Amino acid sequence: MPRSPLIAPSVLAADFACLGAEVDAVLAAGADAIHFDVMDNHYVPNLSVGPPVLRALRAHGVTAPIEAHLMAKPVDRLLEDFIDAGATCVTIHPEATEHLHRSLCLIRERGVQAGVALNPGTPIAAVERVLHLVDVVLVMSVNPGFGGQAFIPESLDAVRTARARLDASPDGAAARLEVDGGIHAGNIGAARAAGADMFVAGTAIFGAPDYADAIAKLRAALG
Ligand code: DX5
Ligand code: ZN
C-alpha cells in the first residue's frame, strides 16, 4: 500500500552556481529528500554531475537523504563512488547493467537503499525477480536524460501496474513507488491516486519563485 508521500526536488533544475544554498533552501521549504540526477552522455544523451558534487553537498552540511539516480552505463564501479560520496539511496536502470541482481547486491552490501528505475518503455517484469533486493521502484514519466520534459500520460498506467505488483508481492510491499519526470501540481494527484508515494520534481520546484509555496502546492494537490 502507498505510504505517506515524500517530495524530492531534483537538483538538475537548481542553480549549479550555488548548489549548496539551493539544496538548503528546498529542505528549509519542506522537501523530504534530495534527488541527484547523474547523466553520462552514453546511457542518456546528456551530461550532469558526478560524485565530487554529491560529496560537496555533504561537506556543505546537507544531512537529508540523497538519492543518486544513476543514468549511467556501466554502473557497477560508479555506484560505489556515489555511496562513498554520501548517497543514502542508489537507483539504477536495468538496461545500464549486465547483471542487475549483482549490481543491486553491491548497493545493499554497502548498507544503503537500492532503487530500480523503469523507463517509459520498460515493463515492471524487468525487475520482478529482484524485488527482494529493492527499496525503491522508480517509474520514469519522461524518457531519461533531460529535465523540464512533459509528463507522459501513459505513465499513470505504469504506476498502477507497478503498485499492483508491489502490493501482490511480500518482497515488494515495503518498497517505495516513486515517479520522476514532468511532475507538477496539475498531475501529482493523479500519480498519487495511481499508487505512487514518492514524487520527484525539478522544474516545478526550482523553477518557481518561492520554493515553500511550490512544495506546499504539490502537497495540497496530493490531498
Ligand atoms: C530526467 C530526470 C528527472 C528530471 C526531473 O532524466 O531523471 O529527475 O530531471 O525534472 P523535471 O521535474 O523538470 O521533469
Ligand atoms: Zn531522476
Side-chain angles (χ1 to χ4, degrees):
M1 295 306 291
R3 289 146 65 195
S4 66
L6 300 177
I7 292 180
S10 162
V11 296
L12 198 62
D15 180 352
F16 280 116
C18 48
L19 189 58
E22 287 274 77
V23 167
D24 289 344
V26 287
L27 290 169
D32 298 298
I34 297 300
H35 185 85
F36 192 92
D37 282 310
V38 177
M39 301 173 175
D40 70 343
N41 191 39
H42 173 69
Y43 178 64
V44 293
N46 199 1
L47 189 64
S48 63
V49 284
V53 178
L54 202 160
R55 185 176 298 111
L57 289 176
R58 290 301 187 205
H60 175 75
V62 175
T63 56
I66 300 180
E67 175 187 23
H69 175 194
L70 303 188
M71 291 160 276
K73 180 181 181 175
V75 79
D76 282 359
R77 205 202 55 77
L78 258 189
L79 63 85
E80 302 265 3
D81 293 350
F82 281 95
I83 295 168
D84 291 340
T88 50
C89 177
V90 175
T91 295
I92 63 176
H93 286 250
E95 301 88 350
T97 174
E98 297 295 333
H99 304 287
L100 179 60
H101 183 283
R102 175 183 290 150
S103 300
L104 292 170
C105 287
L106 286 174
I107 298 170
R108 290 177 67 107
E109 279 163 12
R110 295 290 309 275
V112 303
Q113 292 195 321
V116 282
L118 301 172
N119 289 333
T122 305
I124 183 79
V127 301
E128 255 167 352
R129 290 185 57 198
V130 293
L131 285 181
H132 58 296
L133 298 172
V134 160
D135 302 287
V136 176
V137 173
L138 184 161
V139 171
M140 292 296 305
S141 39
V142 298
N143 283 294
F146 301 93
Q149 300 182 80
F151 182 88
I152 297 173
E154 306 91 90
S155 308
L156 293 175
D157 285 333
V159 172
R160 269 189 286 274
T161 305
R163 169 49 62 200
R165 291 286 199 287
L166 290 177
D167 286 352
S169 152
D171 292 326
R176 283 267 173 203
L177 180 52
E178 183 173 25
V179 63
D180 180 12
I183 290 289
H184 53 70
N187 57 25
I188 196 170
R192 175 68 170 162
D197 57 12
M198 188 162 179
F199 305 86
V200 177
T203 309
I205 295 174
F206 284 108
D210 181 333
Y211 299 162
D213 180 60
I215 291 172
K217 286 195 170 109
L218 291 173
R219 283 203 201 282
L222 281 167

